[in-house]
Every structure is written in structure tokens, then in C-alpha cells.
Amino acid sequence: RRDIIDAIAAEGINLYGRLEETEFLSRLFDLQQLPSFDPRFKDAAGDIWQHRVNNDDWNNDWLFYDTRFNLLHGDDEIFLRFLAETLHPVVRSDSTEAERICQLFNQYLRNDGFQLVERTRLSGKSVYVGRYVGISATPGLSAARESLAGTDPTYVSQQITRIEAAIVNDPSLAIGTAKELVE
């Protein structure tokens, strides 16, 4: 998780995309039910507005260290849902940017057996979900990556991600996608 947080900072990724922070966070958490750390406000929504919009006196990575959200040390499912939400078409309208960020996240998630994969599409754009895919060696996919290195990297990466995600849950889809990629 720390590697992902560092990568977000290094790449200058705006996690909230075209939404304001409270609008984005409200998609994941009930901000009116979370307490405020500032006695002037009754809930987290007021707290966040005061310190990120009005005063801008919290660091950009404040969210990862805020115990109300517990993203740094909390449940894997919540962290994956958070990362997937940063890529949602409502949040991030540029699908190429979403795919690039997804690849960045997956580069670190894979080490622990997790991956963000396309669950569905909304207006032709990917909607991602986090999944546990296990930690296993797939030498055939590594060889495919190397062989296809000279082609369109976005397309190849998208297809390989789809194959990797389907290996356990839908082997027929993995095989079909692999055949299509080879053709």
C-alpha cells in the first residue's frame, strides 16, 4: 500500500478526478456518519471541507493516514474498492488515463495477489473491481508480454490483464482472449 501511495505522489495523480474530495469520498463512505476531528464541525464532510477546500492545510495524502477511513492498514476489500473508484468513468473521464493508472496500481497489487480488472463498461469505458487472483507464476503470459512488446502497449496490456483475471474464474474467456490476441 505504501508503494502505491508513493507512486500516486510521484506521478502526481489526482485521486478524485473531476470530482471534489467530499463528492468523491461520499461515493465510498457516509461522511455524515463519520466524526469530525475539528470541534467546529459535526461530521467528516464539514471537517474535510474546512481543511481541504477552505484552508487547504492538510497534505494531499491525508486520506491514507486518516483513521476514519483506515485505508493504509484496513481491510483489503475497502482499499481495492477505493482504488477502483478512482478509475470509475464518473470520476475519470479519460479512459486512457484510467488504464494507465490501473496498470500502475496493478504493478504493485500483483505482488500480493490482487488486481483491478474490468467488471463492466459504462458508456464504453471500463468500470473496475478489485479481485484476489492469488500469487502464481504464469510463465506463458510473461513470454507473451515479451513477444508482443513492439505492438500497441495499451491494447496488449488490457488483453493480458483480462487473461490474467479470467484464468481462475473463467478459463474459457482466458483462452478465447489469448487466441484473439495471438491472431
Side-chain angles (χ1 to χ4, degrees):
R1 292 184 192 194
R2 289 184 192 276
D3 289 340
I4 290 174
I5 294 166
D6 290 344
I8 289 167
E11 294 284 324
I13 296 170
N14 174 1
L15 294 172
Y16 317 110
R18 58 184 169 176
L19 303 180
E20 291 189 24
E21 285 179 65
T22 53
E23 185 182 9
F24 172 83
L25 292 172
S26 292
R27 294 172 58 87
L28 296 164
F29 304 100
D30 186 351
L31 299 180
Q32 283 71 39
Q33 294 300 313
L34 293 173
S36 172
F37 292 154
D38 186 325
R40 297 174 291 175
F41 301 95
K42 65 178 180 157
D43 58 33
D47 203 15
I48 294 165
W49 178 85
Q50 177 64 29
H51 294 282
R52 289 295 292 160
V53 177
N54 197 32
N55 288 351
D56 194 20
D57 58 356
W58 284 354
N59 293 333
N60 287 337
D61 63 353
W62 70 273
L63 178 63
F64 296 109
Y65 305 101
D66 191 306
T67 56
R68 295 172 288 195
F69 306 106
N70 203 19
L71 291 175
L72 187 60
H73 302 290
D75 186 79
D76 290 334
E77 187 175 312
I78 293 169
F79 186 68
L80 290 170
R81 207 173 84 224
F82 170 80
L83 294 177
E85 192 65 25
T86 66
L87 305 172
H88 194 282
V90 169
V91 175
R92 198 163 309 283
S93 60
D94 183 343
S95 56
T96 303
E97 179 186 28
E99 175 66 28
R100 182 185 64 79
I101 295 170
C102 181
Q103 289 174 17
L104 177 71
F105 291 164
N106 280 339
Q107 159 186 332
Y108 296 105
L109 291 171
R110 246 181 236 123
N111 296 331
D112 295 315
F114 294 98
Q115 187 174 35
L116 295 174
V117 296
E118 183 179 300
R119 181 187 71 203
T120 188
R121 295 184 75 75
L122 179 65
S123 298
K125 297 175 183 174
S126 298
V127 176
Y128 295 93
V129 64
R131 289 199 181 138
Y132 180 74
V133 292
I135 301 172
S136 63
T138 50
L141 291 176
S142 297
R145 251 194 198 99
E146 290 173 18
S147 297
L148 298 168
T151 60
D152 177 13
T154 302
Y155 174 77
V156 171
S157 178
Q158 184 179 38
Q159 297 303 345
I160 290 175
T161 298
R162 186 172 289 136
I163 293 166
E164 289 173 335
I167 285 174
V168 174
N169 298 329
D170 192 352
S172 297
L173 176 63
I175 292 167
T177 305
K179 287 170 51 178
E180 179 184 316
L181 182 60
V182 168
E183 289 172 357

